[in-house]
Amino acid sequence: MFIIMISFLLYLLPTIITEPLAVRIDKNQIREKYHNSGLTIAMAQTLKGQLIDAMDDKLFLDHTLSLETLAKKLNTDRYSLSQVINQEFNKNFYEFINDYRIEECIAYIDQNPSQTESITDIIYESGFNNKVSFYKAFKKRKKVTPAQYIKSLNE
């Protein structure tokens, strides 16, 4: 009987086994953090779509982009935008924007692997304000430095 009950529970809640405890705790903390929010699921999905469209329009290339300015461009408040980024993408604003910026840099590097002398130009054109934040973001996402990445492409 006990085995049947456990099997039934696992059938209803497979994430108990398949999803790590840390992920479940993070999701619960995010839900609790925004539990008094007035943002409905439909509004959050709409805002998520608008946010993805804005990123497709490459708004992230603006080095002065902030949560406040992006919220104004999307005709929403910064709290709702922050909530959507946190809940839907499990990231904060800067992680979210830097992901797009790094992907832009990588796309350029992949197309032009021999133009390593212009890496500084790429950094600023992709929306980063300085080299340090670029290198930190690049290494965090790719686990190698930009120079190592370029070298691996040229081999």
Side-chain angles (χ1 to χ4, degrees):
M1 187 67 174
F2 178 73
I3 293 172
I4 292 171
M5 287 176 57
I6 296 295
S7 300
F8 183 71
L9 283 174
L10 289 175
Y11 177 75
L12 291 177
L13 304 168
T15 58
I16 290 175
I17 301 295
T18 60
E19 193 173 281
L21 180 61
V23 172
R24 289 194 307 264
I25 290 171
D26 286 346
K27 285 183 179 177
N28 288 337
Q29 287 174 343
I30 289 172
R31 280 191 203 118
E32 288 174 15
K33 181 178 178 181
Y34 296 114
H35 120 280
N36 288 331
S37 170
L39 191 66
T40 65
I41 293 172
M43 290 167 49
Q45 291 301 317
T46 301
L47 188 53
K48 179 182 177 183
Q50 290 174 337
L51 181 59
I52 291 170
D53 290 343
M55 293 301 107
D56 290 343
D57 292 340
K58 300 194 180 211
L59 286 181
F60 58 87
L61 295 178
D62 178 7
H63 70 280
T64 62
L65 187 66
S66 66
L67 183 62
E68 189 73 37
T69 57
L70 184 58
K72 283 181 185 176
K73 289 181 183 191
L74 297 177
N75 295 322
T76 189
D77 61 293
R78 58 181 242 153
Y79 304 106
S80 297
L81 181 58
S82 179
Q83 179 180 344
V84 168
I85 293 171
N86 282 263
Q87 282 182 328
E88 301 296 324
F89 299 100
N90 294 324
K91 298 174 185 176
N92 67 33
F93 172 75
Y94 291 104
E95 290 172 337
F96 178 76
I97 296 300
N98 284 346
D99 282 348
Y100 278 95
R101 289 174 174 168
I102 292 296
E103 288 306 315
E104 183 76 11
C105 289
I106 289 172
Y108 181 82
I109 291 169
D110 287 346
Q111 291 172 358
N112 309 298
S114 61
Q115 294 184 355
T116 56
E117 67 278 350
S118 63
I119 192 75
T120 305
D121 295 335
I122 299 168
I123 292 170
Y124 295 110
E125 287 174 12
S126 63
F128 283 96
N129 287 327
N130 60 57
K131 291 181 187 179
V132 175
S133 58
F134 167 75
Y135 278 92
K136 234 172 127 174
F138 194 97
K139 186 147 186 169
K140 179 182 177 183
R141 285 153 185 82
K142 293 297 175 184
K143 310 293 186 239
V144 294
T145 65
Q148 292 169 331
Y149 182 78
I150 292 167
K151 185 179 177 184
S152 71
L153 290 178
N154 289 328
E155 291 177 347

